[in-house]
Amino acid sequence: MNKRIFFGLSGGLGPVLRSLPIADKFRQAGDFVSFSVYGDSSASFIKRQGYSHLDDDDPAMPSEEKQLPPSPVFYDLDHYYAAAGLLDEAFAESWVRHRISMLEKAGADLAVADMSPHTVIAARYLGIPVVSITQACFHPYGEPMYAWGDAPRNLPRVTPVINKILEKLRLPAIRSMEDLNLGDLDLVPGIPETDPISHPGVCYVGQLAHKIDAPRPAWIEKLGTKPYVLVYPGRLRDSSGSSGLKLLQSVYEAFGGTDLPIVVASQEPLPRAFRKRQYRNIRVIPYFTEELLEACGLFIHHGGHGSCLSSIMAGVPSLIVPTQTEREYNARKVYELGIGEYMLPGAFTAEHLRGLARYMMHDDYALKARKLRNAVLIRGYGGAEEAYDECRRLLTSTRKAGGGGL
């Protein structure tokens, strides 16, 4: 019997690209799949793949007095969600109840959550099995996000607010917001080296990446054997501010007008100030394919979890400008593996960035990256096929049970 599968995602293209391969497997099996993700461009991308998208149209907004200003620095998920407004109990409760209604409307038999705590709560309330797509620094049994130091005292905590809502829903209390990345099944789209988690319920599936089909660009033939740098800034603006735009500004200042070919991949149109800079060595494309990544000499990116693993599986070194704390965690893991470097935003000059990039393209980073890729391939992670099989196994081993009334 066909099932109805709901994917609740946070914002950005990263969660979308690692969820779609699993969704495709369900769709191929005849199941109905729906999504809800934050961000118009991400929602549009999902719709273009032929999937139903449910908009989170809850009109409730957090009180400004109970919301932290956006910042690229956060030490744990309690701190992160304080900036998202969850210190406001009225807003947080509306946010959760709206997601409960959404899952009821979707008629979900299985919920898959990627950094979506209200999806996990809604699934628990409705008695729906839930799968968490997660990573080490978001998991309650993984390394803390600020693993290289001690977090400051007296950080804001939204856990007490969420526990009040859980009590109303007659659900167990949580110890921290990381607990809401704990599902009936936890899928890690990574490897233990980048995502150390000490929990028996975690399933490492290796890379989950939606394959983008695009014709081989003519310009790549003109480069011949000349190496190029691929740049992926992530979202131009996110909860950390104009992080992607700042990364691009650094790239344009460092490489504009030089003899090094630069390929910028951005699904969002660049602001006019960038389009006016018609550097012959900088080319802008909407998406990059596996082929373009594997052929580049260096991958400069924002430190997103998926970007880090993509570079590993392509055997390409990364130069990371981590635009917030979680991405700095990822960047430090890449550095520890010897396959990349990182530079903190605002802590380098254009000359420094340019010099480090050229150095990395002629040092042994690529050799180490290819060696790690080959080692990971030998392990034989199952990817989307294994993730789907585990989800299907969960579906067949659990039965939908009703929760308490709203």
Side-chain angles (χ1 to χ4, degrees), residues 305-319:
H305 189 266
S307 297
C308 291
L309 198 65
S310 292
S311 69
I312 290 173
M313 298 313 299
V316 173
S318 287
L319 176 47

Side-chain angles (χ1 to χ4, degrees), residues 109-130:
D109 296 297
L110 177 72
V112 182
D114 191 324
M115 270 289 283
S116 183
H118 54 331
T119 296
V120 174
I121 295 172
R124 296 288 191 216
Y125 176 77
L126 295 170
I128 299 169
V130 59

Side-chain angles (χ1 to χ4, degrees), residues 72 243 246-247 250 320-324 343-348:
S243 57
K246 292 176 181 177
L247 193 160
S250 298
I320 302 172
V321 183
T323 51
Q324 39 96 318
M343 310 175 81
L344 293 182
F348 58 87

